[in-house]
Amino acid sequence: EPCRNFHCKRGKVCHVDRQGDPRCVCQDPTACPPTRDYERVCGTDNKTYEGTCQLFGTKCQLEGTKAGRQLHLDYMGSCKYIPPCTDYEVAQFPLRMRDWLKNILMQFYTRDLETGGHLTQKQRNKVKKIYQDEKRLGAGEHAVELLLHDFEKNYHMYIYPVHWQFYQLDQHPADRSLTHSELAALRASLVPMEHCITRFFQECDGDQDKLIDLKEWCHGFGIKE
């Protein structure tokens, strides 16, 4: 079984050649396993694919061409009309995104209290402070005159979730910058709900080098240097 521990990138499968050696060849899109409706994806060519297997198999077959370079996973689900993002909406987007990331971390924290496994111990210690502050705010235990001061000083509540998401995405490779591929997992799941996320990522890339470093990421979220 030469292919057993032989790994190929997305869109390719292992094939044993005549000499018995494993090599990667393009996945035949028509040979992909059947998928359900909710597994469909939309490509950047505005075509609906039955699943990621079909999309990346098609991209592989177009390798070396302009169409192949431009074809990526756009978002999860069948292709639909995505309205343009206005200047006002993109200005408001970082606030919603920061709040959403904070809520995600709190959900992980509450699950960890029961089952564990979502956060490291260091992350749990950070998110515990967010969780406790949210409880105090909800109970009205913060004096009004202290709220602005808390907002400015509270790293855990307003900045840590942004840092956490950056390092969650920065994995392949972990080099303190985000590529299109690293952003794809987050972007593809959010586009149908948050149509400004594409423009947001474009505007985060201040030097237009196709990479978003930590400074650009934080600047996009309105975090001071």
Side-chain angles (χ1 to χ4, degrees):
E1 293 290 340
C3 284
R4 176 169 295 175
N5 295 312
F6 192 81
H7 298 286
C8 298
K9 70 177 184 179
R10 298 186 80 170
K12 294 191 175 185
V13 292
C14 182
H15 174 76
V16 180
D17 62 21
R18 292 181 179 179
Q19 287 73 41
D21 297 321
R23 62 188 182 93
C24 294
V25 299
C26 287
Q27 165 74 52
D28 178 2
T30 64
C32 288
T35 57
R36 300 180 185 275
D37 289 348
Y38 61 80
E39 294 176 299
R40 290 176 180 163
V41 297
C42 185
T44 47
D45 56 356
N46 202 36
K47 292 181 180 178
T48 297
Y49 293 84
E50 293 302 311
T52 54
C53 171
Q54 189 182 87
L55 169 66
F56 288 106
T58 301
K59 177 178 175 64
C60 182
Q61 291 189 334
L62 294 171
E63 199 168 318
T65 67
K66 182 179 179 180
R69 290 190 297 272
Q70 293 179 340
L71 179 58
H72 300 285
L73 170 63
D74 199 8
Y75 52 88
M76 308 305 291
S78 300
C79 294
K80 61 187 74 174
Y81 171 71
I82 304 294
C85 177
T86 66
D87 292 344
Y88 174 78
E89 287 174 323
V90 79
Q92 297 298 312
F93 177 80
L95 302 177
R96 293 199 305 276
M97 189 72 172
R98 278 194 337 209
D99 198 51
W100 180 71
L101 293 175
K102 179 190 69 178
N103 290 335
I104 291 291
L105 278 174
M106 288 202 301
Q107 287 177 21
F108 282 165
Y109 176 76
T110 54
R111 291 176 189 173
D112 269 14
L113 294 177
E114 299 177 2
T115 60
H118 293 89
L119 300 170
T120 66
Q121 185 59 52
K122 184 177 180 180
Q123 289 170 339
R124 274 196 296 274
N125 291 339
K126 299 271 190 185
V127 182
K128 181 179 180 180
K129 295 178 181 179
I130 298 176
Y131 182 81
Q132 291 173 338
D133 282 348
E134 278 286 288
K135 289 293 185 184
R136 283 196 292 269
L137 282 168
E141 295 174 9
H142 280 244
V144 174
E145 61 270 16
L146 294 178
L147 290 179
L148 179 61
H149 179 60
D150 283 348
F151 181 88
E152 292 174 345
K153 76 173 185 177
N154 198 333
Y155 165 79
H156 300 287
M157 180 76 83
Y158 300 105
I159 300 178
Y160 178 70
V162 175
H163 286 182
W164 169 82
Q165 181 64 86
F166 181 89
Y167 289 109
Q168 289 295 112
L169 296 171
D170 183 27
Q171 300 288 337
H172 306 290
D175 58 358
R176 296 177 66 84
S177 64
L178 301 179
T179 64
H180 182 281
S181 296
E182 288 173 319
L183 289 168
L186 177 63
R187 183 187 169 283
S189 60
L190 287 181
V191 167
M193 298 176 289
E194 285 285 3
H195 64 284
C196 282
I197 193 165
T198 299
R199 181 175 169 185
F200 173 73
F201 286 157
Q202 290 170 346
E203 296 190 4
C204 278
D205 185 15
D207 56 10
Q208 298 297 299
D209 64 349
K210 309 284 187 193
L211 297 170
I212 299 176
D213 61 28
L214 180 60
K215 185 175 180 179
E216 290 175 321
W217 177 261
C218 290
H219 183 265
F221 277 96
I223 296 173
K224 295 178 181 179
E225 189 171 343

